[in-house]
Amino acid sequence: MDRILGKKRYIAVFILPTLLIFLGFVVVPLITTGIYSLFDYDGIGKMDFLGLGNYIKLFTEDRYFPNALKNSFILAGASIFIQLPISFVLALILSRGVKGEKFFRTVYFIPVVISSMVIGQLWMRIFRSDYGLLNIIIRALGPKDFEYSWLSEPKTAFLATVVPAVWQYIGYHMLIFYAGIKSISPDYYEAAQIDGASKLMTTFKITIPLLTPVIKTCLVFSLTGSLRSFDLIYVMTGGGPNHASEVPATLMYNNLFRKSLYGYGSAQAFFIVVECLLFSLIISKLFKRAEENASVV
Amino acid sequence: MKLKRIMAFLLTAVMVFGLIGCGSSTTTTESTETKTETSSGTSNDQSGGEQITLNVWHQWSNDTNELKKLYEAAVAEYEAAHPNVKINTETLDTEAYKTKISAEFAGTASGIDVFYYWGAGTARKLVNADKLLPLDDYLTDEIKAKILPGSTGAFEYNGKTYSLPMFSWYMTLFCNKDLFEQAGAKIPTTYDELLDACKKLSALDGVTPLAAGAKDGWNAAFIYQALALREVGGANINAMLNGEVPFSAEGYKEAADKVVELYNAGAFGKNPLEVGNDDANSAFITGKTAMRLMGSWFANQVYTDATATIDPASVVAVKIPMISGKGNASDYCGGFIESFWVNKETKYPAEAADFAIFINEKMGKAAYETGTGFSGWVGEFDESKLNPLFVQIKDLLSEGETGVLAWDTSLDSEPATIHNEQVQTLFAAGADTEAFIEEHIAAINK
């Protein structure tokens, strides 16, 4: 087997199908998107070359773009500082071998499997002003006539979409962490126990350092996922009310498919791609050294 | 280790682009038949010609949709009369359908011969890009004589006719008489009466006076457009939508102020932006709201929806309330907008045009006979199945002279989208009608 895998020719054969799919569905569309983004184009008629005009417009004239960008960073922050720690703690607890480990693992993973459409509809009901669960709880605890509409008030609309967005993927990251923790050799823990290290110590001194590559993966997924988030926000608010909950992807959708601004929308799409790539590279750079020190998993 | 770094980069790229894809459209079955030579100008095909297949697309994708069944019956009839023509139909849901048509016509749309689309501002893009076949050469005097006068405006561009009417709609104020009686309110004929009725109705427990459905932009737009129609007048709005006169504050701002006034009077309930079209429709047929401003197609739902709890006989259809001293009572919102069009690149222009003309007439007739819309064709109709509510609307329409289409179908897609977004801002506390007008001026007068 080693002999086979050692030959470049065989490696090429194994990679080829995936590579073709990747080229056809990712690289080619990416290049065409990049080309469209240089034109004033309505998707059907003439294409007028603008050069970087669309990008200049995006960064200087677009009134909603700065806010959309800010929103996507808020979401990214919530994902990294709220979602990932919760996932990690859950993974730690589960991997310690609690009772009903399988059951809890499944329960936490359910939201990941459910389609975003359904989750969006579910949370829309929770945030409703009249029969929404959240307001019913608030009314039970305090003001009897509390009728706040979380999703149609500009102040809270975006935050109300962040909650389910963070909640949805907790199970996903938990599972990745869980698998990582499970693959750490028990020898380390035994050695630590003999040396008299506490549970907390082993977590910080053994588990986290050894999980560095896994943590990096989760960070990249979480961050890029936030920067190009679309589905939940589209379902729950559509970027409204009055653009309060826009993110770059909802703006892009509006420009491409509602306003028929294919060139301008493509520029936004291309920006999202470049942005995600850039952040992935930054995270890789940051983790480079840490990864060299830890390489168990 | 250059290779390693490239591989790492590629893998990162794979991860990042996990969700970025682009719907590449696959064309439907191509007809492999050879092209038949037909003399253009005659729309009667010669039987005994070669077998051809026409690919037809429309957006009645739901099997419970009455129009879909009517369409299928019409196709069966056409195929029986033209044994050499096979109609191959494809459907998609509205939003996906629009995207699909745009994507197809970015190329030559080779898998589409005849397709359902919206006229006026929506199809203008296709006409300007020379993607559509004008039907003038195929319109015989016999066909022209059957078309209802004044129903083709949305299908004519630069003096050519690109499609024919199918059926029209009429914006109606549906009122639940029982709830009005309970509140001691009068069915409104003027804006002042409407405002008064809303105030009285809002005192009823668990009842919203008028369900706006404002979560869907076009629903919010209906309410604004109705008031603008009365403030500005149908002819002036049409001139504005056609770009003959610029959009200005005059009349339009007053209409926006009236929406805000209604909102402040509690007409739309506390949070109208939470409720969309479907929820608002069901609120009406379950007696949770006293009024609904909707297209004539809603009449059918009042009578046929299984979830309805109100007595359909208690529903009254009335005109958009008048604003004293302004507008004309004969102005209305609605008209002909949807129909079947022909792709200019079709291999069989004569047959495709013939089918498009046929299906538009058939669907117009069928929509009318089932109480869904008003046919754009004259002829003998079976009115035995019309529900009483639809008959009321028919009488209202007979008094109508100048029709204004929904703005988002008349305007180009960019100002149309901005309009639908902006009207939603009127359905929340602290609405700024000055800004509303400025946004419209910037978008429409571009």
Side-chain angles (χ1 to χ4, degrees), chain B residues 24-39:
Chain B
S24 71
S25 52
T26 51
T27 48
T28 51
T29 48
E30 285 272 350
S31 46
T32 49
E33 291 79 3
T34 48
K35 186 172 172 175
T36 49
E37 292 297 326
T38 50
S39 52

Side-chain angles (χ1 to χ4, degrees), chain B residues 262-286:
Chain B
L262 285 169
Y263 171 82
N264 290 335
F268 312 122
K270 278 204 175 107
N271 296 302
L273 288 174
E274 275 190 331
V275 183
N277 173 61
D278 297 353
D279 288 344
N281 285 345
S282 44
F284 185 83
I285 57 177
T286 53

Side-chain angles (χ1 to χ4, degrees), chain B residues 361-416:
Chain B
E361 181 182 3
K362 269 284 166 213
M363 290 305 294
K365 183 172 188 282
Y368 177 67
E369 289 178 347
T370 52
T372 320
F374 301 94
S375 176
W377 301 72
V378 291
E380 293 292 310
F381 297 115
D382 169 14
E383 297 186 352
S384 62
K385 290 198 203 74
L386 297 187
N387 66 60
L389 194 52
F390 192 73
V391 174
Q392 285 184 49
I393 300 171
K394 188 181 121 190
D395 295 341
L396 295 177
L397 178 65
S398 66
E399 298 162 20
E401 282 169 24
T402 307
V404 177
L405 291 166
W407 292 18
D408 59 354
T409 55
S410 298
L411 293 166
D412 285 341
S413 46
E414 192 179 355

Side-chain angles (χ1 to χ4, degrees), chain B residues 231-246:
Chain B
E231 280 282 357
V232 185
N236 295 339
I237 294 186
N238 282 334
M240 181 277 292
L241 293 174
N242 297 334
E244 291 155 22
V245 297

Side-chain angles (χ1 to χ4, degrees), chain A residues 8 15 19 22 25-26 29-30 41-45 57 63-64 124-125 127-131 147-153 217 220-221 224 228 234-237 241-243 246 253-254 257-262 273 276-277 280-281 284, chain B residues 3 5 7 9-10 12-22 24 95 98-99 101-103 105-107 117 125-126 128-129 131 215 263 270-276 279 412-418 421-422 424-425 428-429 439 446:
Chain A
K8 287 214 167 57
I15 287 181
L19 186 71
F22 179 67
F25 285 97
V26 177
L30 195 62
Y41 179 46
D42 67 0
I44 286 175
K57 184 175 154 192
R63 284 175 303 164
Y64 309 118
M124 267 158 72
R125 302 283 179 279
F127 287 125
R128 276 283 298 236
S129 63
D130 38 14
Y131 59 74
E147 277 232 354
Y148 189 79
S149 173
W150 298 92
L151 283 169
S152 56
E153 291 284 348
T217 307
V220 171
F221 276 147
T224 54
R228 55 180 166 75
Y234 176 74
V235 174
M236 289 175 74
T237 65
N242 202 11
H243 303 282
E246 287 299 356
Y253 179 87
N254 244 331
F257 301 115
R258 294 235 167 92
K259 297 183 183 173
S260 300
L261 302 171
Y262 274 76
V273 171
C276 289
L277 253 186
S280 304
L281 290 174
S284 294
Chain B
L3 188 75
R5 280 175 58 189
M7 288 301 288
F9 178 80
L10 272 177
T12 313
V14 172
M15 257 158 54
V16 171
F17 303 142
L19 265 186
I20 297 172
C22 159
S24 71
E95 284 300 320
K98 286 179 180 171
T99 311
I101 294 293
S102 298
F105 279 97
Y117 212 55
K125 208 165 72 165
L126 293 175
N128 291 347
K131 299 281 184 183
K215 187 173 196 295
Y263 171 82
K270 278 204 175 107
N271 296 302
L273 288 174
E274 275 190 331
V275 183
D279 288 344
D412 285 341
S413 46
E414 192 179 355
T417 307
I418 291 170
E421 284 172 0
Q422 281 298 318
Q424 287 180 302
T425 63
E439 293 281 350
K446 230 180 205 172

